[in-house]
């Protein structure tokens, strides 16, 4: 018999908490600046109560699932990675029990590891990927460290991380290009994106194309406001080409994004000739914890 | 009739000054922390006297050549870029005259621009490339912004810049990887370089391979001391692949480097199956100004 769920996507800097009804509807949500790096050792039960205590009071019968960095070495308790390929039931079965401050049991979901070609790990994204409900396909989760994952026969078979968001931030804010970059105005965003996608097709690669932001501005060929959009489009296009090289033709591709990232990845995927479905991270998370809770109950 | 030369490689943060005899031998050299960013408007004659005054006193008959960022918008006077393809005589002919504080004439050498595929510029490196004396070949000049240049029939036909050194610094010092990276000890440098060169061959590309430094350390597969060497080798190998895609088979390749960069680029070129000659930046600069001075006199 399904029960309501209290589910947290508990990351390094932030926690997102959801109260999910028996029918899968989101009854409440909260975002708190109570990432695991702000929680002292032994302070997790109290931090949980602070983040989601009102959900507990509203639905004391709810099962509690915690996903993300809360299961890392610096989190509540370290939940060992489950090695790919992994099914939703295998992920759920590896959940670790912890005890809330009122004695109730909660489950910390494990992350995944992948050792195909190169070693890689994720924590939290596995829940969103499960939430897509794919039988066969590829999921793209953009972010500071984007993740791409392959699903076959309902199992996550392998995945890869890309430092796209972080390298964008370094180039935009801390490199020689940051001195030339200004806030986009007028056509800057569209022009920068167009140039960045085109630059990704040239043969010199990322290290060469990034420098062109500088020479194009100094040469009067691009506005300073286009530098950020140029770098973003260039990096996203490079990520997509890397993922295509790793995962093949990317048929049945699903993008998990909203806001600015949904736009920039959507444009870059279209430029690469790739159709894709779009799901918001919140919808994917809620569907994922709902599915994994069934695995726990089984 | 050849005269002695006083030649400065005058960059943004530093100036290197050489006194070169009629026979091309270096009679004296100085390195000064008097890059153009430290020189106030109108202060260049005095800064020159401070850097190279003793050479002027020793050889008042010497011709004076200034190369590098001293010819940029923020330098002594802006010497417009010469468009590729450009011969040594065409570069020399575009030199701009300025006047030293004793009324003597000096020549500011121009940089080069290239508009093949993408717009690119250099200032200072053209002098080192000329110094290689190539008829047909490719020059690789590693650095914060590495330059690769193609020479055909004695003219620099096109070139490309790579942000290799700067992106290395950003990743090593300012990214999430910097928290894992330690100083190399024991086999760390060799192991990191080996892994980085191998990672550059994998299909996921730079954004993916950079992240593996993190997962490999967290997974206990690589020491923190290998992170820097891994990133360096990965980035250099990516630069070489980009240059090969731009410039073809890289037959008659010349590397202009010394110290650590001569080692890291030498290893990466060997791993890529590329033979190369090696010249130090100082030797290339001195030979370059000697050659360009002949063009001025002509």
């Amino acid at each position: 018999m399904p029960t309501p769920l209290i589910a947290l996507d508990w990351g390094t800097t932030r926690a997102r908490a959801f109260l999910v009804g028996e029918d899968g509807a989101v009854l409440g949500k909260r975002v708190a600046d109570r990432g695991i790096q702000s929680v002292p050792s032994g302070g997790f039960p109290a931090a949980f109560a602070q983040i989601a205590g009102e959900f507990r009071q509203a639905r004391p019968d709810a099962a509690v699932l915690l996903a993300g960095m809360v299961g890392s070495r610096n989190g509540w308790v370290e939940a060992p990675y489950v090695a790919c390929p992994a099914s939703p039931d295998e992920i759920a079965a590896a959940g670790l029990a912890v005890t809330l401050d009122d004695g109730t049991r909660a489950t910390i979901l494990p992350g995944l590891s992948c050792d195909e070609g190169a070693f890689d790990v994720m924590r939290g994204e596995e829940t969103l990927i499960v939430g897509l409900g794919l039988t066969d396909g590829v999921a793209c989760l953009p972010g500071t460290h984007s993740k791409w994952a392959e699903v076959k026969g309902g199992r996550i078979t392998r995945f890869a991380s890309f430092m796209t968001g972080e390298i964008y931030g370094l180039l935009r804010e801390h490199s020689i290009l940051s001195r030339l970059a200004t806030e986009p105005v007028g056509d800057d965003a569209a022009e920068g994106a167009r140039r960045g996608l085109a630059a990704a097709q040239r043969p010199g690669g990322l290290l060469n194309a990034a420098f062109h932001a500088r020479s194009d501005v100094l040469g009067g060929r691009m506005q300073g406001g286009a530098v950020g959009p140029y770098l973003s489009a260039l990096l996203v296009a490079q990520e997509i080409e890397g993922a295509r090289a790793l995962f093949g033709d990317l048929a049945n591709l699903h993008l998990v994004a909203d806001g600015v990232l949904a736009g920039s990845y959507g444009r870059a995927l279209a430029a690469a000739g790739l159709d894709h479905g779009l799901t918001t991270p919140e919808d994917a998370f809620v569907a994922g914890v709902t599915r994994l809770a069934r695995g726990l109950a089984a």
Side-chain angles (χ1 to χ4, degrees), chain A:
Chain A
M1 193 176 81
T3 61
L5 278 182
I6 295 169
L8 267 66
D9 186 0
W10 202 341
T12 301
T13 58
R14 205 168 290 116
R16 290 180 186 78
F18 299 87
L19 175 61
V20 185
E22 289 86 337
D23 60 354
V26 174
L27 305 177
K29 60 178 174 179
R30 278 198 65 199
V31 179
D33 287 334
R34 285 294 273 156
I36 65 157
Q37 69 183 10
S38 77
V39 180
S41 178
F44 281 93
F48 175 84
Q50 188 187 347
I51 296 165
E54 62 185 273
F55 294 163
R56 287 279 302 150
Q57 287 165 8
R59 296 302 300 262
D61 58 328
V64 179
L65 263 69
L66 311 175
M69 294 303 282
V70 67
S72 70
R73 205 169 301 172
N74 302 317
W76 193 327
V77 64
E78 186 172 359
Y81 296 113
V82 174
C84 283
S87 69
D89 285 344
E90 286 163 342
I91 295 170
L96 282 189
V98 292
T99 305
L100 303 182
D101 58 2
D102 65 358
T104 305
R105 171 190 156 128
T107 301
I108 297 194
L109 294 168
L112 295 186
S113 66
C114 169
D115 205 359
E116 180 129 351
F119 185 66
D120 212 328
V121 293
M122 61 166 61
R123 278 198 191 276
E125 293 92 347
E126 73 293 327
T127 301
L128 282 69
I129 298 164
V130 165
L132 295 176
L134 297 175
T135 302
D136 296 285
V138 171
C140 165
L141 295 84
T144 305
H145 302 147
S146 298
K147 306 285 182 185
W148 289 67
E150 176 189 74
V151 179
K152 286 189 174 174
R155 306 174 89 194
I156 301 174
T157 43
R158 58 194 178 115
F159 62 87
S161 304
F162 296 81
M163 284 186 76
T164 311
E166 179 164 8
I167 292 182
Y168 170 78
L170 291 170
L171 289 173
R172 175 64 183 79
E173 305 301 334
H174 299 290
S175 79
I176 194 170
L177 304 176
S178 67
R179 293 177 227 163
L180 301 169
T182 55
E183 284 304 303
V185 295
D187 292 336
D188 288 349
E191 171 74 0
R194 189 188 63 72
R195 284 178 168 268
L197 293 176
Q201 300 306 313
R202 288 201 297 261
L206 176 56
L207 298 169
N208 176 233
F211 189 80
H212 289 145
R214 175 171 162 79
S215 42
D216 278 349
V217 172
L218 292 180
R221 292 157 191 240
M222 189 165 80
Q223 299 299 313
V227 169
Y230 173 90
L231 290 172
S232 170
L234 169 65
L235 290 165
V236 171
Q238 292 269 339
E239 176 187 323
I240 291 168
E241 286 315 303
R244 178 137 61 178
L246 286 169
F247 297 112
D249 64 3
L250 303 181
N252 200 23
L253 174 63
H254 286 258
L255 175 63
V256 182
D258 52 13
V260 170
L261 291 177
S264 59
Y265 277 73
R267 281 188 297 275
L269 289 169
L274 293 167
D275 290 332
H276 65 278
L278 178 64
T279 303
T280 70
E282 179 175 320
D283 286 350
F285 179 76
V286 170
V289 288
T290 302
R291 171 65 186 85
L292 292 170
R294 286 209 310 273
L296 288 180

